[in-house]
Amino acid sequence: MSPCRVLYVINGFNKGGAEIGLQTMLEHGFLRGCDVRVIGLHEGAPELRAAIGRLVGPENLVLASDGPKLTLAGLWRGFRTLRATLRTFRPHTVVLSLRQTNIVGRLALLDHRAIRCIAFEHIAKLEAGRLTTLYAALLWLLSPRVDEVWADCRVTLEGRGAIIAVVPGSGWCPCSSRMRRHRARRSTGSARPRGS
């Protein structure tokens, strides 16, 4: 039986909570035993990118664009990179971290229904800004493509209703023992992601 293939997609490698959280989870054995590939829509901080590259292997870290900031062109390149990776890597599960990645990833996964889509939420509500209304509408419209929601804490999970429709199987803190127990109690079949 081949190992589970997981594609983890993140905006970039800035030194923020979601990005450092990915590094911490990998250092503590998150996804151990799986083939893991990470796509960053842009580079961000080169030292964090290098640290994550050491954890997953440099051949398993893909940058869609090498700029320090996420741009509209970077989102387009990210969409194309993700579509190509879905064809070549053929993941069982895709984890989408942060809102721009969730929009791009959900769009890319629309015609890949057999791949499990996990939205990893890091904020309970969108911050006010120029694109807040557009982001909220797109996230809500694309939420039927999400199979499961993870959150970095209970407050985030409970506050996510404004940006995602209710998803069966939602959980919090994928690296916590509490969630593992919660998911194990609810599991009725194989632990392998759907489509494997």
Side-chain angles (χ1 to χ4, degrees):
M1 188 179 280
S2 65
C4 176
R5 290 183 302 276
V6 178
L7 180 60
Y8 195 105
V9 189
I10 195 161
N11 284 358
F13 301 99
N14 297 321
K15 292 184 177 179
E19 299 85 351
I20 293 172
L22 171 59
Q23 178 184 4
T24 302
M25 289 186 303
L26 290 169
E27 287 172 345
H28 288 90
F30 180 64
L31 301 174
R32 184 175 288 135
C34 296
D35 286 341
V36 179
R37 186 160 298 171
V38 176
I39 294 178
L41 301 186
H42 72 98
E43 181 168 39
E47 57 277 359
L48 184 57
R49 179 196 48 78
I52 291 173
R54 284 189 295 276
L55 291 165
V56 299
E59 70 282 1
N60 290 314
L61 190 138
V62 178
L63 284 178
S65 63
D66 57 3
K69 292 187 176 188
L70 188 58
T71 63
L72 191 56
L75 289 172
W76 174 245
R77 282 193 290 277
F79 175 81
R80 292 179 56 209
T81 301
L82 179 51
R83 295 284 296 175
T85 305
L86 291 173
R87 284 189 305 276
T88 58
F89 184 57
R90 298 177 332 169
H92 299 106
T93 301
V94 175
V95 180
L96 303 170
S97 179
L98 299 170
R99 66 180 174 229
Q100 293 91 342
T101 299
N102 261 277
I103 293 168
V104 168
R106 293 176 197 184
L107 284 168
L109 286 164
L110 282 175
D111 62 341
H112 292 274
R113 301 299 296 184
I115 299 173
R116 184 165 196 76
C117 176
I118 299 173
F120 195 166
E121 301 290 345
H122 301 279
I123 56 171
K125 73 178 218 178
L126 296 172
E127 302 91 8
R130 291 182 303 141
L131 300 176
T132 302
T133 304
L134 177 62
Y135 284 151
L138 288 171
L139 289 167
W140 189 84
L141 286 170
L142 293 168
S143 62
R145 182 55 194 94
V146 175
D147 297 302
E148 188 171 337
V149 175
W150 290 348
D152 55 6
C153 66
R154 184 184 295 264
V155 171
T156 300
L157 184 66
E158 292 169 352
R160 82 194 192 306
I163 58 175
I164 190 166
V166 175
V167 177
S170 296
W172 71 88
C173 301
C175 55
S176 76
S177 60
R178 185 171 185 178
M179 182 177 173
R180 284 194 296 270
R181 285 194 309 271
H182 172 74
R183 290 180 50 76
R185 281 195 309 267
R186 295 181 55 205
S187 177
T188 57
S190 168
R192 288 178 64 85
R194 187 181 71 205
S196 55

